[in-house]
Amino acid sequence: MIKLYGVIGDPIVQSMSPVMQSQEFEKLDIEAHYHPFHILGKDLHDAVKGMKAIGVEGFNVTSPHKTTIMPFLDYIDPLAKVIGAVNTVVRINDEFHGYNTDGIGYIKALQADWKEDFKNEKALIIGAGGAAKAIFYTLLSKGMKNIDIGNRSVDKAKQLIDDCPYEGNSNAISLKEAEENLEQYQLIIQTTSIGMYPNLSESPLSLENIQQDAFVSDIIYNPFETALLKEAKERGAKTQNGLGMFVYQGALAFEKWTGQTPDANRMSEIVMKHLGGKLC
Ligand code: ATR
């Protein structure tokens, strides 16, 4: 029987998950259908119950449901619980189990594009929202120690650090402080929406003081190159956009559903092909 999978969100038309996941089901000869479901917040509980009743095997969760779905699931993985967000649901023994593959997806992309072992490097995370939290907590859970958080509202960065159950050596700083002390970081991770289409010229901070061999990562992939990444490149740094994180979070979800490892390069190519026509 054809197995059912999908992604839920509001809005959902923009999601690249259906083309990316459907391609891998087909290439790996798995009989499955992956559907985008537009679910409003008020219908979320009914939607989860409905998906369980009709036999959905697994689904991705995107904005704005990543946190609000948690009470409606039967089990939450410890890392997802700490992050406070679920992006992947797997049916196990007729229960829905929630995971968060965003942070680990980010790490896999970093390993693919930068280096395998970056535990001892010093990092700056720009932003203190949901994406920053997933990345920050996952990096600390994997043993990285020196990660500062620079944010417009320093209080929010401080809260993120104070709430973190993993051991680390982190400071909450303003964007101005981050800008002035940028030379101490080997890794800079941009997690805000600043620079996202259509605000192409916006950047959270100047990279004037960046180390030349720093690695600058921006989780945005529309545009493929934000103003921040453009400046980083011009200053000689290596860069990475958010496509890798998106692909790997999806690849990890696919593995949890099927036990098979999809082809990350092929997934990346199909997303690029589809976004190509729509990008600015
Ligand atoms: P997400 O869950 O997608 O990470 P979010 O929770 O809305 O998004 O968080 C957005 C982050 O971007 C926050 O760190 C926010 O800074 P504040 O905590 O000060 O609000 C940051 N951000 C968004 N727009 C910004 C702007 N124009 N200038 C500076 N920071 C901005």
Side-chain angles (χ1 to χ4, degrees):
M1 200 164 71
I2 296 179
K3 292 188 167 168
L4 293 175
Y5 297 90
V7 56
I8 64 169
D10 174 26
I12 202 62
V13 280
Q14 81 295 348
S15 175
M16 285 292 122
S17 293
V19 286
M20 183 172 85
Q21 302 286 13
S22 298
Q23 167 182 264
E24 292 310 300
F25 281 122
E26 195 189 323
K27 296 278 184 194
L28 296 175
D29 269 336
I30 299 168
E31 272 203 293
H33 178 73
Y34 185 103
H35 193 79
F37 294 100
H38 182 200
I39 307 293
L40 303 180
K42 69 177 179 57
D43 298 324
L44 183 59
H45 195 186
D46 286 344
V48 174
K49 284 196 269 190
M51 286 195 289
K52 192 185 258 181
I54 63 173
V56 168
E57 288 290 334
F59 55 98
N60 289 121
V61 185
T62 190
S63 182
H65 304 318
K66 287 186 180 187
T67 299
T68 46
I69 195 170
M70 294 174 75
F72 308 138
L73 301 175
D74 302 297
Y75 167 83
I76 311 282
D77 172 72
L79 180 62
K81 206 178 263 180
V82 165
I83 293 169
V86 159
N87 77 325
T88 301
V89 175
V90 186
R91 186 184 199 101
I92 298 171
N93 298 329
D94 282 334
E95 287 185 349
F96 275 163
H97 292 202
Y99 299 86
N100 189 304
T101 66
D102 285 328
I104 301 174
Y106 179 78
I107 289 179
K108 286 204 169 256
L110 205 53
Q111 287 172 322
D113 291 343
W114 189 31
K115 54 177 151 184
E116 189 62 31
D117 183 9
F118 48 80
K119 254 212 310 270
N120 297 320
E121 308 291 4
K122 183 163 182 172
L124 169 71
I125 293 180
I126 302 168
K133 191 172 180 183
I135 292 172
F136 179 54
Y137 287 8
T138 309
L139 286 171
L140 287 180
S141 79
K142 299 288 173 197
M144 203 167 170
K145 291 272 178 276
N146 299 309
I147 309 174
D148 290 345
I149 301 186
N151 196 42
R152 176 175 60 184
S153 324
V154 181
D155 281 2
K156 218 170 142 193
K158 189 168 181 317
Q159 193 68 51
L160 209 63
I161 293 168
D162 289 347
D163 291 347
C164 184
Y166 303 109
E167 207 186 306
N169 174 25
S170 297
N171 298 298
I173 56 177
S174 67
L175 293 174
K176 189 162 183 291
E177 283 172 290
E179 200 170 75
E180 285 167 359
N181 296 293
L182 216 56
E183 73 287 342
Q184 53 180 304
Y185 302 107
Q186 284 87 44
L187 171 63
I188 295 165
I189 307 168
Q190 200 301 111
T191 70
T192 77
S193 53
I194 304 169
M196 194 184 279
Y197 181 81
N199 304 312
L200 303 179
S201 61
E202 289 179 8
S203 190
L205 43 70
S206 154
L207 297 178
E208 200 178 331
N209 296 323
I210 196 174
Q211 285 185 12
Q212 225 191 11
D213 58 353
F215 189 85
V216 182
S217 169
D218 195 323
I219 67 162
I220 293 171
Y221 57 88
N222 185 5
F224 280 134
E225 189 174 79
T226 56
L228 184 83
L229 290 189
K230 190 161 183 283
E231 184 186 351
K233 238 186 219 172
E234 282 163 7
R235 293 188 184 277
K238 289 191 270 321
T239 64
Q240 170 194 59
N241 68 16
L243 185 59
M245 176 180 178
F246 174 67
V247 164
Y248 280 104
Q249 64 75 32
L252 289 162
F254 190 96
E255 272 177 43
K256 286 189 183 299
W257 296 327
T258 65
Q260 296 197 50
T261 305
D263 184 330
N265 288 331
R266 197 165 56 198
M267 292 167 86
S268 187
E269 274 162 26
I270 195 163
V271 176
M272 271 199 283
K273 195 173 129 204
H274 276 258
L275 279 176
K278 291 186 207 154
L279 282 172
C280 37

